[in-house]
Amino acid sequence: MVTEADIPMCKVVLANRIAQGLLAEVSEGLKKFNKTPLLVGFLSSADPAARVYAEWTGKTCRENGFKFELREVDREELEDALIAANNDDTVDGIMVYYPIFNDRQDQYLQQIVDVSKDVEGLSHKYIFNMYQNIRFLDPHATKKSILPCTPLAVIKILEYLQVYNTFLPYGNRLHGHTVTVINRSEVVGRPLAALLANDGACVYSVDIKDVQQFHRGEGLRKRRHEVTEKPGWTLENCLPQSDVVISGVPGKEYKVPVHLLREGAVCINFSSDKNFGPEVKEKASIYVPAIGKVTISVLLRNLLRIVQNRTETDTQVEKQVEKEGNIEIATPDK
């Protein structure tokens, strides 16, 4: 006889459900514009996964009222192609399917994309703002800074799951939560740890070599996060303390040790490989097995935001020009 205790209490939440709400928000915002924004994706990689992602991006764009153009460019010609897109007024947003060179040259290419068209939030200005916990581009706080898509997708998932406490002030809504992020890549893991800590969480960032703690100090006294090394720490120290566990280790061999999980933890997988085995449902209260569709939704949300930011800038310039045009300049008597 099956008793109530035998029934797994874990709720599996699929990315599609979360993405629908974000896409509805994007659709509403899109109605305020007279033109259809154009996103241009650059594919210079032979990686089949990059092509699948590009096709997925195009499909989602077209289904939600955006134009998408895929430009396949030899990697040695990509730099010139990006500069040309920067100078093309018909192009509203630019994204590149990385990796291309798999070295520092990729970082250089990220900085070529015009900050006003960078839907992936990889430009230096956006990365600086993210780590410094600067949330707006202007002193009047009318234009939000752009955040990298995958880390922001995880944030949106945690908001949807109501891990964020909306009773607390904006910017402190993860106060009291302990999070483990297994992955410290510069693309996802480190930015994600910084974002979570800037929102008030105590975050353990786990890499293959060590553990770092991202936090804003006791009582969230600091404006932005700081990083503390945790010598000798492993997952055995982090997981039992964490009410949220987020993993993105590339490779089918890696699995999060479920026996170390805290009972009732929220578990999120952002690797293309499943970092959690099926037994995670015996420990977790909520499990999100993939986030890809949320990432694409966030990409469109970023595209809408940069169009809004540019429109706001154009309006401010027009008002300033109009104001200056109305000023009478006194001419001295001859």
Side-chain angles (χ1 to χ4, degrees):
M1 177 180 175
V2 178
T3 66
E4 203 171 302
D6 297 322
I7 301 173
M9 298 302 291
C10 180
K11 182 177 183 180
V12 177
V13 179
L14 300 181
N16 187 50
R17 187 190 306 176
I18 305 167
Q20 286 172 358
L22 292 170
L23 290 174
E25 176 190 331
V26 169
S27 177
E28 197 59 35
L30 197 56
K31 293 176 183 176
K32 299 176 183 178
F33 294 98
N34 296 323
K35 61 168 286 189
T36 303
L38 169 63
L39 173 63
V40 174
F42 286 91
L43 183 62
S44 300
S45 166
D47 183 0
R51 182 170 293 278
V52 169
Y53 186 34
E55 291 172 353
W56 198 6
T57 308
K59 182 175 183 290
T60 308
C61 278
R62 287 184 283 272
E63 287 176 349
N64 291 278
F66 293 85
K67 291 188 288 187
F68 178 77
E69 183 181 318
L70 181 63
R71 298 181 183 177
E72 298 190 43
V73 180
D74 183 274
R75 67 180 192 172
E76 298 299 340
E77 298 173 359
L78 181 57
E79 182 177 352
D80 289 340
L82 291 174
I83 293 171
N86 285 341
N87 296 325
D88 185 347
D89 290 338
T90 67
V91 176
D92 296 293
I94 297 171
M95 68 176 298
V96 182
Y97 296 98
Y98 295 102
I100 297 168
F101 292 94
N102 258 320
D103 57 20
R104 288 182 63 85
Q105 195 163 347
D106 283 7
Q107 296 175 23
Y108 166 68
L109 290 170
Q110 290 168 5
Q111 303 314 311
I112 289 179
V113 178
D114 191 297
V115 69
S116 71
K117 298 187 179 186
D118 176 18
V119 296
E120 296 179 281
L122 299 176
S123 301
H124 172 74
K125 174 68 173 175
Y126 294 143
I127 297 296
F128 176 83
N129 284 1
M130 177 187 66
Y131 282 121
Q132 292 293 318
N133 200 14
I134 299 170
R135 303 188 180 222
F136 293 90
L137 295 171
D138 62 323
H140 303 294
T142 61
K143 295 185 285 187
K144 277 196 171 184
S145 195
I146 303 300
L147 295 171
C149 296
T150 303
L152 181 55
V154 175
I155 299 295
K156 290 300 170 185
I157 289 169
L158 291 175
E159 288 180 350
Y160 176 87
L161 299 176
Q162 298 182 337
V163 175
Y164 274 71
N165 184 351
T166 55
F167 287 102
L168 293 176
Y170 179 69
N172 292 343
R173 291 178 173 176
L174 284 181
H175 182 50
H177 288 284
T178 301
V179 183
T180 290
V181 178
I182 309 171
N183 172 301
R184 202 185 304 139
S185 69
E186 295 299 327
V187 178
V188 185
R190 188 187 296 276
L192 177 57
L195 287 171
L196 295 171
N198 283 342
D199 279 340
C202 167
V203 183
Y204 294 115
S205 172
V206 181
D207 194 40
I208 193 168
K209 296 178 181 177
D210 59 12
V211 174
Q212 294 178 344
Q213 182 184 14
F214 287 57
H215 58 96
R216 280 173 46 205
E218 290 292 331
L220 307 184
R221 290 195 183 96
K222 300 180 186 298
R223 183 188 61 80
R224 58 174 292 269
H225 76 279
E226 61 182 25
V227 180
T228 305
E229 300 287 343
K230 305 295 286 185
W233 274 48
T234 67
L235 285 174
E236 291 189 4
N237 304 97
C238 308
L239 292 183
Q241 299 184 46
S242 301
D243 54 293
V244 178
V245 178
I246 305 162
S247 187
V249 178
K252 296 178 181 177
E253 302 79 20
Y254 180 78
K255 295 288 184 251
V256 175
V258 168
H259 69 281
L260 294 176
L261 289 177
R262 177 173 167 176
E263 198 76 40
V266 173
C267 297
I268 300 172
N269 172 74
F270 69 83
S271 171
S272 56
D273 301 299
K274 294 289 184 285
N275 284 179
F276 296 90
E279 65 276 15
V280 69
K281 298 173 189 175
E282 298 170 10
K283 272 289 192 75
S285 60
I286 300 174
Y287 173 47
V288 182
I291 72 165
K293 291 187 177 180
V294 181
T295 302
I296 295 284
S297 303
V298 165
L299 179 74
L300 295 188
R301 191 172 178 271
N302 279 357
L303 175 56
L304 183 65
R305 180 149 285 161
I306 63 174
V307 173
Q308 290 170 333
N309 286 348
R310 199 157 56 241
T311 302
E312 179 74 22
T313 299
D314 292 343
T315 302
Q316 289 173 355
V317 170
E318 288 172 6
K319 287 181 178 178
Q320 184 63 30
V321 169
E322 184 179 343
K323 181 180 177 182
E324 291 175 355
N326 291 332
I327 297 175
E328 293 184 6
I329 302 174
T331 306
D333 293 335
K334 292 182 179 179

